[in-house]
Amino acid sequence: MYANDIAAVYDLVHEGKGKDYRSEAEEIAALVRAHRPGTTSLLDVACGTGQHLRHLAGLFDRVEGLEISRDMLAIAADRNPGIPLHEGDMRSFALTSRFDAVICMFSSIGHLRDGAELDATLARFAAHLEPGGVIVVEPWWFPDAFTPGYIGASVTEAGDRTISRVSHSVRDGDATRIEVHYLIARPGEGIRHLTEEHTITLFPRTAYERAFERAGCRVLYQEGGPSGRGLFIGTRAEISTSGGTSQR
């Protein structure tokens, strides 16, 4: 998803825009424990460069990460020595461990193409949960909340590098198409121009809720969240002593 050159400046750009991974990790931990007290294990799906993981590692006994981009995963491994990291696709991954919580942040879920992929992904999340476990998903914008033609811009100074990022977002059917340009300036190297393009699906709120329910989870939507797009919190059914299931 991210080429090596862009992966290398990814964190600098978002931290320069004010993203606070430590604070977000603490909020995630508090939210998870509010729905499942005593949570000790967590899987971060689409963990990117491992920024959340490095803080979550101090908040849970066991954390692991899953990422499809090898370039991002390599950065995450350098940043988080000793934390198990897995290269895998959120739609089809199969690990040998289960977790008290599975999270998917920074709207990574929006890179899925349709409802079938959303259903498959939530089923994979639920399959890796302990009974009574919690799923936290940060969605992309809902269709009625997206602003077509949006321009995003930032300039970040990091050491001897100056990084300018400009993005343009348009609606393309049921998705957002985002074109991103980077200018990276460094003494002795001049200016480099990098580009990338993303297609992010505008799933309606009901599509997320149905996917959670089909995966056997009770779900609620919480306004706000780290990026203002809200959070979905799903709880997997617990196995009752009578052999049936119960919901928290």
Side-chain angles (χ1 to χ4, degrees):
M1 183 181 300
Y2 290 94
N4 183 57
D5 288 342
I6 293 175
V9 300
Y10 179 88
D11 293 326
L12 299 176
V13 168
H14 289 288
E15 288 176 340
K17 292 166 65 177
K19 192 165 182 65
D20 186 342
Y21 289 95
R22 177 186 293 278
S23 176
E24 290 183 15
E26 292 171 351
E27 291 175 9
I28 292 165
L31 180 63
V32 166
R33 290 197 168 104
H35 291 269
R36 183 179 171 85
T39 291
T40 61
S41 60
L42 178 144
L43 174 66
D44 185 1
V45 175
C47 66
T49 63
Q51 284 278 44
H52 283 129
L53 272 178
R54 74 185 178 111
H55 301 297
L56 291 166
L59 301 171
F60 296 96
D61 293 343
R62 178 170 65 94
V63 297
E64 299 186 21
L66 180 93
E67 172 59 44
I68 195 170
S69 166
R70 291 185 179 181
D71 291 326
M72 302 288 265
L73 200 60
I75 296 171
D78 287 342
R79 175 171 283 135
N80 297 284
I83 293 180
L85 299 174
H86 311 275
E87 182 182 343
D89 188 321
M90 69 172 73
R91 297 166 295 186
S92 58
F93 72 99
L95 306 182
T96 58
S97 300
R98 288 191 175 188
F99 303 85
D100 295 320
V102 174
I103 67 170
C104 184
M105 304 300 293
F106 218 174
S107 302
S108 299
I109 199 87
H111 289 280
L112 301 173
R113 292 172 293 188
D114 53 34
E117 291 192 350
L118 187 60
D119 284 349
T121 296
L122 266 297
R124 287 289 80 209
F125 290 1
H128 287 78
L129 279 183
E130 298 287 357
V134 176
I135 299 169
V136 178
V137 170
E138 182 178 11
W140 181 238
W141 296 111
F142 302 143
D144 58 353
F146 172 65
T147 303
Y150 180 79
I151 298 290
S154 66
V155 176
T156 301
E157 294 185 357
D160 63 349
R161 281 181 290 185
T162 300
I163 306 162
S164 173
R165 179 186 185 274
V166 178
S167 65
H168 178 226
S169 302
V170 298
R171 182 154 184 173
D172 185 0
D174 293 329
T176 304
R177 183 164 47 82
I178 305 176
E179 183 181 356
V180 187
H181 291 255
Y182 297 85
L183 292 177
I184 305 171
R186 198 170 197 172
E189 296 181 3
I191 302 173
R192 302 175 64 204
H193 179 205
L194 305 175
T195 64
E196 62 178 346
E197 188 170 297
H198 300 284
T199 299
I200 309 179
T201 304
L202 292 160
F203 290 113
R205 173 174 167 175
T206 53
Y208 289 103
E209 291 170 339
R210 285 195 299 266
F212 272 95
E213 291 164 359
R214 288 172 181 146
C217 297
R218 184 182 65 180
V219 60
L220 63 86
Y221 174 71
Q222 179 174 296
E223 300 278 354
S227 303
R229 295 186 280 269
L231 294 169
F232 287 99
I233 303 103
T235 307
R236 186 184 177 198
E238 290 193 73
I239 300 173
S240 70
T241 55
S242 61
T245 61
S246 63
Q247 293 277 7
R248 287 195 169 198

